[in-house]
Amino acid sequence: MITQDQEMKGEEGKLKLPAPLDTIELFSGPRTVDKVVLAQDDVTRRMIVTYQDRRRLHPFIASLINPVVADKNAIRGMFEFFDTEQVYIAYREANTYPRVSFEEAMVGSFTPGRFTNKVVLIGNDHGGSVRDYIKTPFSKDAKAMTTLEVHANMLDTMIMNNAPVQAPAWVNILITILTSILTVHVLFTLKPIRSLSVILATGSFLILLGFIGFWPVGYWVKMAHPFLAIFLCYYFFIPYRLIIENRRSWEYYQRNKLLSQVEELKTNFISMMSHDLKTPLARIQGMTDM
């Protein structure tokens, strides 16, 4: 039986049902909600594998089916978070798992062997209130998925051992640095329209890269930092480029103005010299004609 409560060290055996149900063993299988840390949006993204070095319900059941996950070091994508070790949930679409109503189970109106070699979760799958539902990373609707189906996704993640793996920090830093360098280079070397096209193409490539890495491979690369780098580079370096271009335009204007003045002086000088030369030459020519 699952409970949301946690046993602290030194409180073993605290989680018990009242008599005569005290012989039923309780396992702690809490779900997490990002209310205070991380995204702070009430979304359930993670599941607890161990708490204070003790396994929770989901990895325990999964180890009975997939012995690989019995060794916590073999669990894919596990990371430490305060006193726990957690993994991200590999969610499937809502209503993926088959359901059998309580009435069907009581009267036996289902295919024989349907529960053979299956993990069966018993609970309320038609929540009467918002508290019976959770928000997922793929839908923040108040009734995105029932709590029972979330536990099914948790078990599926542990059994298949396919939790998403978060990319190391150096991968995010490298992508952010390369994106920043490319953005600055494009802003200073290409014309505005072409630079904007290249930046949009870069953003589309990052989205495609993140999508391909996450869905088929289960490798999660955070794209918030590269996109933030693109925005900051564009925000700060575009005005700088405009200042440089305005300065160049002013320098070109002053240079052209100076060249125009020089050309005008040259023209005036030639005109004056030709006039001054024509006068004595005309007199000399007149004297020779006499």
Side-chain angles (χ1 to χ4, degrees):
M1 187 171 180
I2 303 174
T3 175
Q4 290 283 348
D5 297 326
Q6 292 271 30
E7 278 187 341
M8 305 291 289
K9 283 186 176 180
E11 297 181 350
E12 289 79 0
K14 178 182 177 181
L15 297 179
K16 286 187 177 181
L17 293 173
L21 303 177
D22 53 350
T23 57
I24 300 176
E25 186 176 2
L26 289 178
F27 284 91
S28 178
R31 60 181 176 87
T32 63
V33 179
D34 294 337
K35 288 185 176 180
V36 181
V37 295
L38 300 180
Q40 302 180 16
D41 53 3
D42 294 339
V43 170
T44 297
R45 295 179 174 86
R46 301 162 285 115
M47 61 174 292
I48 298 175
V49 178
T50 66
Y51 176 67
Q52 295 183 341
D53 298 327
R54 287 180 293 175
R55 283 191 303 174
R56 302 295 91 185
L57 173 69
H58 305 95
F60 171 73
I61 295 178
S63 65
L64 301 177
I65 302 172
N66 182 5
V68 173
V69 297
D71 179 10
K72 71 175 185 178
N73 296 321
I75 297 177
R76 172 185 165 97
M78 192 164 64
F79 59 93
E80 294 183 0
F81 191 76
F82 294 107
D83 290 337
T84 67
E85 291 176 309
Q86 304 184 9
V87 295
Y88 288 101
I89 303 171
Y91 276 101
R92 297 180 184 268
E93 294 183 5
N95 303 317
T96 295
Y97 304 100
R99 293 173 170 81
V100 175
S101 67
F102 183 75
E103 290 79 8
E104 291 176 330
M106 290 296 294
V107 301
S109 59
F110 54 86
T111 306
R114 183 170 184 177
F115 297 144
T116 304
N117 297 325
K118 300 289 193 306
V119 177
V120 180
L121 300 182
I122 302 174
N124 182 12
D125 198 37
H126 300 282
S129 67
V130 177
R131 297 181 60 183
D132 297 324
Y133 294 86
I134 63 101
K135 299 177 182 178
T136 72
F138 307 104
S139 176
K140 295 184 180 180
D141 183 73
K143 294 186 176 182
M145 185 177 290
T146 62
T147 302
L148 186 65
E149 192 169 3
V150 172
H151 284 291
N153 278 275
M154 292 179 180
L155 280 171
D156 194 3
T157 301
M158 293 304 304
I159 293 171
M160 301 301 295
N161 197 19
N162 62 346
V165 178
Q166 187 173 345
W170 68 266
V171 174
N172 294 321
I173 294 174
L174 179 62
I175 294 177
T176 302
I177 292 175
L178 293 177
T179 304
S180 302
I181 294 174
L182 176 63
T183 303
V184 174
H185 175 73
V186 165
L187 288 176
F188 281 97
T189 56
L190 299 180
K191 294 182 179 180
I193 299 298
R194 293 193 63 184
S195 64
L196 182 60
S197 301
V198 173
I199 290 173
L200 291 176
T202 303
S204 301
F205 173 76
L206 290 175
I207 294 174
L208 181 63
L209 178 65
F211 182 81
I212 293 176
F214 187 80
W215 282 108
V217 184
Y219 196 73
W220 177 22
V221 180
K222 293 182 179 179
M223 291 300 174
H225 295 151
F227 278 102
L228 180 61
I230 291 175
F231 172 77
L232 292 177
C233 290
Y234 199 85
Y235 183 80
F236 285 107
F237 284 99
I238 279 293
Y240 183 68
R241 175 177 175 173
L242 291 176
I243 292 173
I244 292 177
E245 289 185 350
N246 287 334
R247 182 179 297 175
R248 288 176 180 174
S249 299
W250 175 253
E251 291 175 354
Y252 290 152
Y253 170 76
Q254 293 295 330
R255 187 178 301 172
N256 290 333
K257 184 178 179 181
L258 180 61
L259 290 175
S260 299
Q261 292 176 351
V262 171
E263 185 68 24
E264 184 178 357
L265 289 173
K266 183 180 71 173
T267 303
N268 292 337
F269 175 77
I270 294 175
S271 177
M272 291 175 60
M273 289 299 296
S274 62
H275 178 269
D276 291 343
L277 288 174
K278 283 180 181 179
T279 301
L281 288 175
R283 291 179 180 178
I284 295 172
Q285 185 178 4
M287 293 177 64
T288 55
D289 291 340
M290 293 176 62

